[in-house]
């Protein structure tokens, strides 16, 4: 028998002894988030992550009895980095959509809030309609459901896309945009903190074809056990009041939705 055939035989024997692959041992779960989407996830001046997404993630990891490790990632690369194994889950206010389901799996939702249109104070835009926004320049964060929705809802507007929410806010403050579309909570937090620039013109009707089933946790498609661990933990923190405590820290109403 040649040396090569001996190696091949040894490999087969080892595989037979080892048997089928077993589920992963989830003692540590690495969580990807953006860190640029307050009040859901943001970086403090000293580089610490905070926000609703972060507190929810920590509560879920405690219920699952695993150690959490957070990894910040630019939004446009957040799914590719999950697929590449940079982290194990995305907790970053990501909508559960059919398009994303082609690449990743999702847990059940952990919140669901509507989009809104924000405009400068004193704007001549008085209603959030396609006619009113025709010819206007509207900002949104690139690669988000809000960007897709703005392009669909306002087809005759010039929708300008930005890498982060902070960048469209800066252009709106400086008069380079007529409005912007984002989550109502994100906009409300910003306009209250700023106080001078802008105001919410109106919330926008949810389009299920774009926004899907709410905000969920993205998991690689072969990590079914981790998805189910998260689902059980979401149900548990809803049941025992932990979710409400975190919710009430940030918001005046239940963001879980119907």
């Amino acid at each position: 028998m040649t040396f090569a055939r001996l190696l091949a035989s040894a490999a087969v024997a080892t595989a037979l002894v080892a048997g089928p692959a077993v589920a992963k041992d989830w003692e540590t779960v690495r969580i990807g988030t953006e860190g640029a989407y307050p009040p859901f996830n943001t970086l403090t001046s000293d580089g610490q992550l905070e926000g609703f997404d972060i507190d929810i993630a920590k509560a879920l990891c405690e219920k699952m009895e695993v150690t959490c490790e957070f990894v910040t990632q630019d939004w446009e690369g957040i799914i590719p980095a999950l697929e590449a194994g940079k982290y194990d889950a995305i907790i970053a206010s990501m909508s559960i959509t059919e398009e994303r389901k082609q690449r990743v799996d999702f847990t059940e939702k952990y919140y669901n809030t509507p989009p809104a249109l924000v405009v400068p104070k004193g704007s001549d835009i008085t209603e959030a309609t396609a006619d009113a926004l025709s010819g206007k320049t509207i900002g949104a964060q690139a690669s988000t459901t809000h960007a897709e929705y703005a392009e669909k809802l306002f087809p005759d507007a010039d929708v300008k896309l930005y890498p982060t929410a902070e960048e469209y806010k800066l252009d709106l403050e400086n008069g380079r945009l007529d409005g912007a579309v984002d989550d109502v909570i994100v906009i409300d937090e910003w306009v209250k903190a700023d106080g001078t620039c802008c105001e919410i013109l109106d919330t926008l009707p949810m389009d299920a074809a774009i926004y899907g089933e709410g905000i969920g946790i993205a998991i690689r498609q072969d990590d079914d056990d981790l998805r189910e661990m998260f689902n059980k933990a979401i149900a548990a923190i809803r049941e025992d009041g932990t979710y409400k405590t975190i919710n009430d820290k940030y918001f005046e109403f239940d963001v879980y939705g119907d």
Side-chain angles (χ1 to χ4, degrees):
M1 181 178 291
T2 66
F3 183 64
R5 290 179 65 188
L6 281 170
L7 286 178
S9 298
V12 171
T14 300
L16 290 172
V17 171
V22 296
K24 294 178 183 177
D25 184 6
W26 295 106
E27 293 183 1
T28 299
V29 176
R30 298 163 301 159
I31 295 171
T33 196
E34 184 185 16
Y37 198 59
F40 293 103
N41 59 81
T42 189
L43 284 166
T44 63
S45 58
D46 60 351
Q48 300 299 307
L49 280 165
E50 65 178 16
F52 179 76
D53 287 333
I54 308 306
D55 287 358
I56 289 292
K58 289 177 179 178
L60 295 176
C61 287
E62 183 176 346
K63 284 293 180 186
M64 297 189 300
E65 299 182 345
V66 300
T67 300
C68 274
E69 292 180 357
F70 289 94
V71 180
T72 55
Q73 170 67 48
D74 290 344
W75 180 258
E76 290 200 49
I78 206 164
I79 287 179
L82 173 68
E83 294 171 317
K86 185 175 179 180
Y87 34 77
D88 306 303
I90 297 170
I91 302 183
S93 292
M94 180 173 284
S95 297
I96 305 166
T97 67
E98 291 303 316
E99 181 180 359
R100 289 174 179 151
K101 284 180 182 179
Q102 303 305 308
R103 298 179 64 178
V104 297
D105 282 345
F106 282 95
T107 64
E108 301 294 329
K109 71 172 184 178
Y110 66 94
Y111 82 86
N112 192 19
T113 49
L117 176 67
V118 59
V119 297
K121 287 185 176 180
S123 171
D124 61 357
I125 301 171
T126 58
E127 55 185 14
T129 64
D131 286 344
L133 274 294
S134 179
K136 303 295 186 180
T137 303
I138 305 300
Q141 186 175 359
S143 301
T144 65
T145 50
H146 301 302
E148 183 180 355
Y149 190 44
E151 290 171 340
K152 178 179 179 179
L153 194 62
F154 309 122
D156 297 320
D158 176 18
V159 178
K160 188 175 180 180
L161 304 182
Y162 295 80
T164 69
E166 297 307 310
E167 290 170 83
Y168 81 64
K169 292 174 186 175
L170 185 62
D171 268 8
L172 196 55
E173 288 174 333
N174 292 327
R176 291 189 286 268
L177 289 174
D178 298 303
V181 175
D182 208 333
D183 185 279
V184 66
I185 297 294
V186 172
I187 294 174
D188 185 60
E189 184 91 355
W190 171 52
V191 298
K192 284 179 178 177
D194 177 88
T196 59
C197 160
C198 306
E199 61 187 356
I200 294 175
L201 181 64
D202 205 352
T203 55
L204 303 172
M206 297 285 281
D207 185 332
I210 292 175
Y211 286 102
E213 305 157 32
I215 303 298
I217 301 168
I219 307 290
R220 284 185 295 272
Q221 290 183 337
D222 59 347
D223 286 338
D224 294 345
D225 51 345
L226 182 59
R227 185 188 67 244
E228 291 312 308
M229 287 169 62
F230 271 119
N231 279 336
K232 289 177 182 178
I234 291 169
I237 66 171
R238 288 284 296 170
E239 178 69 25
D240 69 9
T242 302
Y243 185 97
K244 185 178 187 306
T245 298
I246 297 170
N247 183 102
D248 294 351
K249 175 181 174 181
Y250 294 95
F251 313 118
E252 296 177 355
F253 61 95
D254 184 1
V255 297
Y256 187 76
D258 296 332

